Amino acid sequence: MTIFGDSRLGRISYAIVLILMFAFDFAKGPIERYIMVMHDKAANELMAPHIVKNDDQQNAGKINGKTMPFMLKEQEDAIRSIVDSGVKLSRVEIEARLGAATQKSILTFEGNRPVDPEVQRLADTRSYLAMLYPIAVIFMTGITVVGLLWMVSSRPRDIGWPQVVLWILLTPVFLPKFVHVPLPDLAIHGISLFFYTALFVLAFIPGEGARTESPAGRAPLQPVVTKRQSGQFGRLGTR
């Protein structure tokens, strides 16, 4: 079984790609931490106290003449329906109605009053970063996996080795992760050392194009004698 067709990586090209892959692997951690730092910053600013403006008070909903605090619209509607019904409900029933209203409004997350633009910006930023983090992790993991497969497939092909070398190198690394085989720390470090050492060794093995046949193994060249044809002058004849 072969992958990536007939792609080949020479020693110099492979060394450049190897350095780029290592640099990218070290950059993944800071990128993930940066996304989470920005997410936590937006979440903290969102949860911090905000000044209530007069416009907010005028646009706020009221029940029995009392201004309702900021909450989800479905929650205020549930409270309003309970008050308008005139039926005295138990605490458990009230909590059940509010819980159902909360679950109903989770997707829209619409407030019961117009949201301050700054608060809306912080909420959108937090939601965007929360969605971006798993996407970034999956995307960077995909780049690493595809890049390793391409490198470890193309380099042995340039050397002239069979593709089974690819699976010999990658199986100890990826099999425990996909099958969830519990391994001691010593085995994990040993596999990592074997894998990275093999990657470095591949950079020093010459490919098929760089190999030359030894003079002792070459057949001696026989001189070719071309006879001059009769009546021909100035140049040798051709057959």
Side-chain angles (χ1 to χ4, degrees):
M1 178 181 178
T2 61
I3 58 176
F4 298 103
D6 295 327
S7 63
R8 296 172 180 266
L9 274 177
R11 284 188 292 180
I12 297 178
S13 301
Y14 175 81
I16 294 174
V17 175
L18 183 62
I19 293 173
L20 293 176
M21 289 297 296
F22 272 107
F24 179 72
D25 192 60
F26 281 109
K28 286 191 296 185
I31 292 174
E32 295 174 5
R33 287 193 294 271
Y34 175 77
I35 295 175
M36 289 310 301
V37 167
M38 298 302 296
H39 170 272
D40 294 342
K41 179 181 178 182
N44 292 333
E45 293 179 2
L46 183 63
M47 297 301 294
H50 296 273
I51 298 175
V52 179
K53 303 177 182 178
N54 292 331
D55 294 341
D56 296 337
Q57 291 292 338
Q58 294 174 1
N59 295 324
K62 294 184 178 181
I63 298 179
N64 288 344
K66 296 182 180 180
T67 301
M68 297 299 295
F70 179 74
M71 61 178 65
L72 295 175
K73 184 177 182 300
E74 296 291 342
Q75 292 174 333
E76 181 178 310
D77 293 342
I79 296 174
R80 192 182 303 277
S81 65
I82 293 173
V83 173
D84 293 342
S85 67
V87 179
K88 187 176 181 179
L89 301 177
S90 64
R91 180 179 177 181
V92 175
E93 291 174 328
I94 294 175
E95 290 179 350
R97 288 199 180 187
L98 289 176
T102 302
Q103 293 180 356
K104 184 179 179 181
S105 59
I106 283 177
L107 294 178
T108 59
F109 212 77
E110 181 182 359
N112 64 334
R113 67 179 68 174
V115 181
D116 182 84
E118 179 64 17
V119 175
Q120 184 65 51
R121 183 190 68 81
L122 292 173
D124 293 341
T125 301
R126 177 187 174 277
S127 300
Y128 168 75
L129 292 172
M131 177 183 64
L132 177 64
Y133 180 79
I135 294 177
V137 172
I138 295 174
F139 180 72
M140 291 188 295
T141 302
I143 292 177
T144 302
V145 172
V146 174
L148 285 175
L149 288 175
W150 176 56
M151 289 169 50
V152 184
S153 172
S154 302
R155 183 63 191 135
R157 187 180 292 115
D158 181 73
I159 296 173
W161 290 348
Q163 285 291 286
V164 69
V165 176
L166 168 69
W167 309 115
I168 294 176
L169 293 176
L170 296 183
T171 298
V173 180
F174 289 102
L175 184 61
K177 296 181 180 180
F178 287 104
V179 185
H180 300 288
V181 178
L183 295 174
D185 293 339
L186 182 61
I188 295 175
H189 291 308
I191 292 174
S192 300
L193 180 62
F194 161 77
F195 179 68
Y196 290 119
T197 302
L199 291 182
F200 278 109
V201 170
L202 288 176
F204 297 97
I205 302 176
E208 290 181 332
R211 297 173 186 170
T212 57
E213 189 178 3
S214 61
R218 296 179 183 174
L221 297 178
Q222 299 293 333
V224 179
V225 179
T226 305
K227 296 182 179 180
R228 187 184 300 273
Q229 296 180 3
S230 59
Q232 194 173 25
F233 177 78
R235 58 187 179 89
L236 295 178
T238 57
R239 294 185 180 184

